[in-house]
Amino acid sequence: MTQPDTRPALEALRAQISRLEGRSGRERAVLPFGVGEIDRRLPGGGLALGALHEVAGGGADALHCAAAGQFAAGIAARATGKVLWIVTRADLFAPALQQAGLSSARVIFVEAGTDRDGLACFEEGLRHGGPGTVVADVARLTMPASRRLQLAAETSGALGIAIRRWRRQADAADFGQPTAAVTRWRVSVLPSGPLPVPGVGRGRWRLELMRARAGESAAFEVEACDERGRLALPGAADRLAVPAALGDRPGAAASGRGRASA
């Protein structure tokens, strides 16, 4: 009696296990930062699309949280498609997103009443496949929850960005716990560069790549996102070049609800 061929079933099972563990045999599309020193540290030369990434401010104060929000907005500005932005606090300031290159016309804002509701919206937004990028305020992120988010992002190809924010500084230790996110970033505000005349120059950040799957940790001093969402090394703005095809150009400023984590 001929034995049934079980190889297709085994291959399907291996593929399912690989997805659940956050691995994929195929090459992921990436979104380069356009800064060689950063892109060389990332597998594939850029931020992986169809994946979950974590961002946090270098401190619990509003200034550092704003920098984390603008960093996320700059990434979303350079990616394609609509952006679903989920918040759990009424402190999102839309013009700050515009300043980082993300037009309000591209953003759909969702306010979640609780952190649990926010995570549910985050997962559903990633799984839906409509938005190109989903950004969400996230306080606590467990390994099982992050795996669900990572799998949802892989399935749809959307870019997921979890902005880690805490109501109490004591809860910040959760950011050090392992998750399924492909990268983990921390953004700290630095004094802006001096100008030849009195005034405030372009913002500067200490950008830390704290974790990169199959990559290396690193720290950079960068100039904050410009009006097209691009970073630059201090004094190297003229050398920065990101192909326009990678993202939608910011349109005219749109009025709307002013709520941006910045």
Side-chain angles (χ1 to χ4, degrees), residues 32-36 39 78 226 228 230-232 236-244 246:
F33 282 95
V35 181
D39 291 335
R78 293 182 296 106
D226 64 9
R228 296 180 63 189
R230 301 174 302 178
L231 300 174
D238 292 339
R239 301 199 302 269
L240 183 66
V242 179
L246 286 176

Side-chain angles (χ1 to χ4, degrees), residues 54-147:
E54 290 181 83
V55 180
D61 56 275
L63 194 62
H64 289 87
C65 290
Q70 286 196 305
F71 176 67
I75 293 171
R78 293 182 296 106
T80 58
K82 288 286 187 179
V83 178
L84 181 64
W85 199 298
I86 303 160
V87 298
T88 55
R89 307 185 208 180
D91 61 355
L92 193 65
F93 188 56
L97 304 186
Q98 182 77 33
Q99 187 179 20
L102 182 57
S103 170
S104 302
R106 292 182 55 201
V107 185
I108 302 169
F109 297 107
V110 173
E111 182 176 356
T114 65
D115 293 334
R116 182 176 180 179
D117 291 342
L119 275 175
C121 292
F122 195 6
E123 182 177 350
E124 186 62 27
L126 287 172
R127 196 176 303 280
H128 183 272
T133 305
V134 182
V135 183
D137 289 348
V138 177
R140 187 166 182 266
L141 186 62
T142 64
M143 178 61 81
S146 67
R147 281 178 172 166

